């Protein structure tokens, strides 16, 4: 679903190069070469600044050797026809520029592998290319041909040493490469980038201030020089040097590549025409001195620019690393948050969706295939996600086995199709890791609808949706109202904090609910211990409000231990009633069954408080998964060895039902209230309860019916063979102290 690329406006081309670039080459070569003749001494046959050497190298690097089809004839035309130079001098000069540029280009191309990883904007901004291969070696070759042409065409050359002529040519052409090659490379190779960079730089307030300072400095220097002030005028003229270096630290490479030759021209003009109080240039030695100063200025500015460029590259790399996952190259959580924030700020009312992807078995994969195998699996998933063909989709890796995909500006129907396709694609076996079975993937999807205040909240909602899908064996779960889910999660977090604090400070409250025997003649007190917690306003909260937080954040083992410790302590403090207690039932979570130290802890508490273990029944909630069968089995064996009893709670609606009865040794089962509430009106429920009782009797297990709301139900249950009843029709939960007072009064 990628957009069709817009057609570019048609451009006239010659040799696959836009016509305007050929026009730039021709006009720049002729115009700048002619203008350079203004920058020389009257009796010299060469220019102080020679742009042609830089134009040749920049063009050959940007356009290849085909650029010489235009450059060489232009150079010949300018030298022989417009300037009236002898044909040998024109021929050798143009040929030397071409050969030197080709030689420098071949050296630079050969070294590309060495600079490919440096992030340079162009080969000429890797300074060894510009200085050594371009200005020294390439210009040295060009200078040989230029010197030969000069010697052949100018009779007066016989009075000079050949090497002196060659060195002067070398200096002039090398300086021309340093000053003009980078900007012409940019103009011809990356014209749009060059135009945008220059426009962006000169729209900055700091650069505008800098430009005003430059104009002011030049104006004051010229004015003071004309007034004959030879003290401050030269100081202002030389102040251009640090101004150029300052711009080198602020501007982009294309802008700097224009500023440096302009400042070189200004400084040469100041020197040749004695502006700004600079000393006069009377001969070639004075001119060479000025050119060396200009060269030093250019090199200093380029060094500063190169250092600044590398600093920006390093900062950009750090910035990318801060928003990029180190292993996959995808966005990380910060990158995802930034993308969601952008949507919320600029398109809050748009149709956007966030998918949270969870690889359920990542830890098992890591154990089976080791770290390399897990990395391979994640790499394959990354490739699948990167091929996800939706425009502007942001793909992120949040943690091990956890990914996210942000789908901006997509209709709901399209989002459903896309996520279904993505789920199917990610679930495929990973042959690269030797996995032949499908991966177990769950996806939680939430709309990014502007109702929440932060990107973290949307990611949290999508993660909760993925977790819900995992718990209910779904591939995908869609959230309709993220605000409601976030509010519920906030409540859960709040209750988690309250619960943890209540556990730490012993602020939970024990309640008890009566369990009544349905067999005639059986006496004594039986009850189930329940737990309550108070919120910030002191309101009593039932377990349904805070138990999800305990389960979600791993507080169930600590909560179970708190209940065991305080229940046994309470029984010990009411020893006069202990003889009347037949059964004290305490709930245990599935998570506690996998705690290898819990049975030892129970034994220690029994011994500490001197409670007869036969009075204790520990109820295991059948609706929770037992994570380790081996540990759970050993735990029940340990409880029976202590003398305690074990009951299976919520029987009939959980994850294993009758399979648990075969697998574990229980003493009683509690029939879930879903089969009890409508027992008087449902033959199906009667049949189910009757079947459960028959199985229990065959296994010599006691039965307890939950949610018994009236006496009629009690009689019906007794007729079906149920041993005990519990519910509001028997007795409502009450503080355990009150329960014992009432039990004592009844006895």
């Amino acid at each position: 679903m990628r957009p069709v690329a817009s057609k570019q406006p048609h451009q006239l081309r010659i040799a696959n190069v836009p016509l305007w670039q050929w026009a730039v080459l021709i006009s720049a070569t002729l115009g700048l070469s002619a203008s350079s003749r203004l920058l020389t001494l009257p009796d010299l046959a060469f220019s102080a600044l020679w742009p042609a050497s830089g134009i040749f190298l920049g063009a050959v690097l940007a356009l290849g050797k085909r650029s010489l089809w235009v450059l060489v004839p232009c150079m010949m035309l300018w030298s022989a026809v417009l300037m009236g130079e002898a044909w040998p001098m024109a021929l050798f000069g143009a040929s030397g520029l071409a050969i030197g540029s080709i030689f420098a280009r071949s050296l630079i191309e050969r070294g590309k592998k060495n600079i490919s990883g440096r992030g340079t904007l162009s080969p000429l901004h890797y300074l060894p290319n510009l200085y050594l291969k371009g200005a020294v070696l390439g210009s040295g070759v060009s200078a040989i041909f230029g010197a030969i042409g000069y010697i052949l065409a100018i009779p007066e050359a016989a009075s000079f040493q050949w090497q002196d002529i060659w060195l002067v040519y070398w200096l002039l052409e090398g300086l021309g490469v340093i000053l003009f090659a980078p900007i012409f490379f940019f103009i011809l190779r990356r014209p749009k980038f060059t135009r945008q960079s220059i426009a962006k730089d000169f729209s900055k307030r700091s650069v505008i201030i800098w430009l005003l300072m430059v104009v002011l400095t030049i104006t004051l220097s010229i004015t003071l020089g004309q007034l004959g002030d030879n003290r401050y005028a030269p100081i202002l003229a030389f102040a251009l040097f640090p101004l150029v270096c300052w711009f080198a630290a602020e501007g982009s490479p294309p802008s700097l590549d224009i500023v440096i030759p302009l400042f070189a021209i200004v400084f040469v003009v100041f020197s040749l025409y004695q502006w700004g109080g600079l000393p006069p240039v009377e001969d070639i030695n004075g001119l060479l001195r000025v050119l060396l100063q200009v060269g030093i200025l250019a090199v200093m500015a380029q060094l500063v620019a190169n250092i600044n460029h590398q600093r920006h590259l390093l900062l950009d790399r750090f910035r990318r690393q801060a928003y990029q996952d180190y292993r996959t190259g995808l966005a990380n959580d910060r990158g995802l948050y930034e993308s969601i924030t952008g949507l919320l700020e600029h398109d809050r009312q748009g149709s956007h969706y966030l998918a949270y992807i969870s690889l359920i078995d990542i830890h098992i994969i890591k154990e089976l295939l080791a770290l390399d195998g897990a990395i391979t699996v994640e790499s394959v998933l990354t490739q699948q996600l990167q091929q996800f063909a939706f425009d502007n989709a942001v793909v992120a890796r949040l943690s091990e086995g956890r990914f996210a995909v942000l789908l901006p500006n997509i209709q709901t129907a399209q989002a459903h199709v896309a996520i279904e396709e993505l789920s199917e694609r990610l679930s495929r076996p990973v042959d690269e890791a030797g996995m032949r079975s499908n991966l177990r993937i769950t996806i939680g999807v939430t709309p990014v609808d502007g109702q929440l205040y932060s990107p973290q909240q949307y990611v949290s909602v999508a993660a909760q949706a993925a977790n819900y899908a995992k718990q209910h064996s779904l591939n995908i779960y869609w959230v309709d109202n993220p605000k409601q889910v976030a509010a519920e999660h906030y409540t859960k977090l709040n209750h988690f904090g309250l619960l943890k604090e209540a556990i730490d400070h012993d602020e939970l409250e024990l309640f008890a609910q009566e369990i009544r025997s349905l067999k005639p003649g059986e006496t004594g007190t039986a009850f189930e211990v329940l737990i309550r917690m108070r919120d910030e306003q002191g309101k009593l909260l039932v377990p349904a409000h805070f138990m999800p937080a305990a389960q979600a954040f791993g507080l169930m083992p600590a909560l179970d231990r708190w209940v065991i410790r305080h229940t046994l302590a309470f029984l010990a403090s009411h020893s006069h009633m202990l003889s009347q207690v037949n059964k004290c039932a305490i709930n245990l979570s599935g998570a506690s069954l996998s705690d290898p130290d819990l049975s030892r802890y129970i034994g220690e508490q029994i011994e500490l408080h001197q409670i007869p273990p036969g009075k204790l029944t520990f109820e295991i909630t059948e609706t929770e998964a037992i994570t380790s069968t081996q540990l759970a089995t050993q735990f029940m064996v340990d409880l029976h060895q202590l003398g305690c009893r074990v009951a299976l709670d919520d029987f009939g609606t959980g994850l294993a039902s009758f399979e648990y009865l075969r697998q574990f040794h229980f003493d009683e089962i509690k029939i879930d209230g879903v089969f009890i509430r409508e027992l008087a009106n449902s033959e199906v429920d009667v049949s189910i309860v009757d079947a459960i009782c028959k199985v229990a009797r065959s296994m010599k297990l006691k039965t307890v019916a939950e949610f018994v709301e009236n006496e009629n139900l009690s009689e019906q249950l007794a007729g079906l063979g149920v041993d005990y009843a519990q519910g509001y029709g028997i007795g409502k939960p009450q503080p355990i102290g009150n329960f014992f007072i009432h039990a004592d009064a009844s006895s």
Side-chain angles (χ1 to χ4, degrees):
M1 297 183 61
R2 300 187 184 279
V4 178
S6 59
K7 295 184 178 180
Q8 298 293 331
H10 179 69
Q11 294 181 338
L12 294 177
R13 290 177 175 269
I14 299 177
N16 204 30
V17 175
L19 185 60
W20 70 267
Q21 291 190 335
W22 292 122
V24 167
L25 275 182
I26 294 172
S27 59
T29 303
L30 296 177
L32 291 179
S33 296
S35 301
S36 69
R37 296 300 298 154
L38 301 175
L39 304 177
T40 187
L41 295 174
D43 55 346
L44 292 182
F46 52 80
S47 304
L49 296 179
W50 184 229
S53 58
I55 296 174
F56 267 68
L57 180 57
V60 169
L61 283 172
L63 305 178
K65 297 177 184 178
R66 58 191 167 181
S67 61
L68 297 176
W69 302 346
V70 169
L71 290 174
V72 171
C74 282
M75 204 68 241
M76 292 284 294
L77 174 66
W78 177 79
S79 299
V81 178
L82 299 181
M83 297 302 299
E85 294 178 351
W87 278 101
M89 186 173 180
L91 179 62
F92 273 89
S95 301
L97 289 172
I99 294 171
S101 299
I102 293 173
F103 178 62
R105 179 179 182 268
S106 66
L107 295 177
I108 292 173
E109 290 291 330
R110 189 177 302 172
K112 266 189 176 181
K113 292 182 179 179
N114 298 328
I115 65 171
S116 59
R118 296 176 179 264
T120 49
L121 289 171
S122 79
L124 288 180
H125 287 85
Y126 180 56
L127 294 184
N129 281 344
L130 180 62
Y131 297 149
L132 177 62
K133 300 173 184 178
V136 176
L137 298 178
S139 297
V141 172
S142 300
I144 293 175
F145 287 86
I148 292 173
Y150 185 82
I151 292 172
L152 294 177
I154 306 297
E156 292 83 358
S159 60
F160 298 100
Q161 295 290 329
W162 180 88
Q163 63 270 21
D164 292 338
I165 298 174
W166 173 61
L167 288 173
V168 171
Y169 264 88
W170 194 359
L171 173 63
L172 296 176
E173 297 204 6
L175 184 58
V177 166
I178 291 174
L179 293 177
F180 295 97
I183 185 56
F184 276 93
F185 174 87
F186 265 130
I187 291 174
L188 298 173
R189 186 63 174 269
R190 304 180 66 182
K192 183 177 180 181
F193 171 75
T194 302
R195 183 176 65 254
Q196 291 175 344
S197 297
I198 294 173
K200 181 179 179 181
D201 284 339
F202 284 90
S203 64
K204 296 178 182 176
R205 182 179 179 183
S206 58
V207 174
I208 294 175
I209 294 174
W210 170 86
L211 191 60
L212 293 175
M213 292 175 61
V214 169
V215 173
L216 180 62
T217 300
I218 293 175
T219 303
L220 288 176
S221 179
I222 295 175
T223 302
L224 292 175
Q226 294 297 319
L227 294 176
D229 187 339
N230 294 326
R231 293 175 301 170
Y232 296 108
I235 294 175
L236 290 172
F238 281 103
L240 296 176
F241 283 67
L243 285 173
V244 173
C245 292
W246 181 85
F247 185 84
E250 292 292 327
S252 63
S255 300
L256 180 67
D257 293 338
I258 285 183
V259 166
I260 288 178
L262 289 177
F263 269 80
I265 293 171
V266 169
F267 194 78
V268 170
V269 169
F270 269 50
S271 299
L272 291 176
Y273 294 95
Q274 300 179 31
W275 291 355
L278 295 182
V281 177
E282 299 175 348
D283 53 19
I284 189 172
N285 292 327
L287 181 60
L288 293 178
R289 173 179 53 81
V290 171
L291 295 182
L292 284 174
Q293 291 176 337
V294 170
I296 292 172
L297 165 67
V299 169
M300 285 175 56
Q302 288 169 346
L303 285 173
V304 171
N306 188 266
I307 293 172
N308 186 56
H309 175 57
Q310 295 300 327
R311 180 177 67 88
H312 281 300
L313 287 177
L314 188 61
L315 291 175
D316 287 341
R317 184 179 304 171
F318 287 151
R319 194 175 294 112
R320 287 195 303 271
Q321 289 175 350
Y323 291 91
Q324 191 177 63
D325 177 63
Y326 71 97
R327 179 174 292 174
T328 62
L330 302 175
N332 58 11
D333 53 348
R334 294 190 189 92
L336 180 64
Y337 295 157
E338 186 178 62
S339 299
I340 297 175
T341 300
L343 286 180
L344 295 176
E345 289 179 351
H346 302 107
D347 194 6
R348 198 176 188 89
Q349 303 303 321
S351 178
H352 320 297
Y353 285 88
L354 174 66
Y356 185 97
I357 303 163
S358 174
L359 176 57
I360 297 175
D361 299 323
I362 181 62
H363 297 297
I364 298 176
I365 293 172
K366 197 172 179 181
E367 290 179 3
L368 294 177
L369 304 179
L371 180 60
D372 290 342
I375 292 175
T376 300
V377 171
E378 287 200 311
S379 298
V380 172
L381 292 180
T382 298
Q383 293 172 10
Q384 297 282 2
L385 290 167
Q386 287 174 329
Q387 295 169 6
F388 191 55
F390 270 83
D391 303 320
N392 304 320
V394 179
V395 182
R397 177 180 180 266
L398 305 179
S399 62
E400 193 173 53
R402 305 291 183 266
F403 297 85
V405 177
L406 177 64
L407 299 174
N409 300 310
I410 184 172
Q411 297 302 316
T412 302
Q414 289 180 300
H416 277 267
V417 173
I419 297 301
E420 291 285 352
E421 177 189 343
L422 185 62
S423 176
E424 189 276 331
R425 181 184 300 179
L426 295 179
S427 300
R428 295 170 184 169
V430 181
D431 296 331
E432 294 85 343
M435 296 185 63
R436 297 183 180 179
S437 58
N438 289 350
L439 296 177
R440 291 204 302 158
I441 297 289
T442 60
I443 302 178
V445 189
T446 179
V448 182
D449 53 8
Q451 294 186 32
L452 305 181
Y453 299 104
S454 70
Q456 289 86 346
Q457 287 182 300
Y458 284 104
V459 174
S460 175
V461 168
Q464 292 174 68
N467 188 52
Y468 182 90
K470 173 185 174 182
Q471 292 175 350
H472 294 79
S473 301
L474 303 173
N475 293 328
I476 304 170
Y477 182 76
W478 291 79
V479 173
D480 295 324
N481 189 343
K483 188 173 184 179
Q484 179 181 349
V485 175
E488 292 172 354
H489 184 62
Y490 175 79
T491 302
K492 189 183 295 184
L493 284 174
N494 185 45
H495 287 164
F496 163 72
L498 291 174
L499 180 59
K500 191 174 186 306
E501 185 176 350
I503 293 174
D504 293 340
H505 296 88
D506 292 334
E507 294 175 349
L508 295 171
E509 298 183 20
L510 294 177
F511 273 56
Q513 185 177 27
E514 181 183 358
I515 300 175
R516 184 176 300 171
S517 173
L518 299 180
K519 302 298 182 183
E522 186 171 335
T523 60
T525 302
F527 61 94
E528 178 182 355
V529 176
L530 305 174
I531 194 74
R532 297 290 186 268
M533 182 181 74
R534 295 191 182 274
D535 61 13
E536 298 95 327
Q537 288 75 36
K539 180 182 177 182
L540 205 62
L541 300 178
V542 297
H545 288 99
F546 59 84
M547 204 62 74
Q551 294 168 346
F553 300 107
L555 280 180
M556 288 306 299
L559 182 59
D560 288 344
R561 291 193 176 211
W562 190 95
V563 174
I564 293 169
R565 182 172 67 254
H566 285 77
T567 299
L568 270 58
F570 179 85
L571 293 176
S573 66
H574 292 72
S575 56
H576 64 285
M577 287 290 297
L578 192 56
S579 60
Q580 301 178 27
V581 174
N582 285 341
K583 179 173 72 171
C584 172
I586 300 175
N587 281 286
L588 293 179
S589 64
S592 291
L593 298 187
S594 300
D595 181 357
D597 294 326
L598 182 59
S599 58
R600 179 183 56 81
Y601 179 80
I602 293 173
E604 291 174 353
Q605 293 298 314
I606 290 174
E607 183 177 356
L608 174 64
H609 298 291
Q610 294 298 301
I611 304 299
K615 297 181 180 293
L616 300 178
T617 299
F618 290 94
E619 297 182 358
I620 297 169
T621 304
E622 194 253 338
T623 50
E624 291 191 28
I626 296 176
T627 57
S628 173
T629 302
Q630 183 178 359
L631 288 175
T633 301
Q634 185 59 48
F635 174 74
M636 295 183 195
V637 170
D638 293 341
L639 286 183
H640 284 120
Q641 288 178 351
L642 290 173
C644 302
R645 297 167 60 85
V646 182
L648 181 59
D649 199 5
D650 299 329
F651 182 79
T653 59
L655 301 172
S657 296
F658 288 97
E659 179 63 26
Y660 274 10
L661 294 182
R662 297 179 56 189
Q663 192 169 6
F664 302 110
H665 180 200
F666 293 102
D667 299 291
E668 66 180 52
I669 55 178
K670 299 186 73 171
I671 305 171
D672 193 89
V674 70
F675 305 116
I676 307 299
R677 291 191 184 96
E678 300 298 326
L679 190 68
N681 304 315
S682 173
E683 291 296 327
V684 174
D685 289 343
V686 170
S687 299
I688 292 174
V689 172
D690 183 56
I692 293 174
C693 290
K694 288 179 180 179
V695 171
R697 282 195 298 271
S698 69
M699 299 181 70
K700 299 181 180 180
L701 304 179
K702 296 291 185 180
T703 53
V704 181
E706 299 180 298
F707 289 88
V708 179
E709 305 298 330
N710 54 63
E711 283 293 333
N712 293 333
L713 271 179
S714 298
E715 295 175 1
Q716 188 177 6
L717 290 167
L720 291 172
V722 176
D723 299 302
Y724 297 93
Q726 179 182 357
Y728 277 27
I730 305 299
K732 294 183 179 180
Q734 56 184 308
I736 193 169
N738 295 346
F739 176 81
F740 266 56
I741 292 172
H742 294 156
D744 189 21
S746 300
S747 63

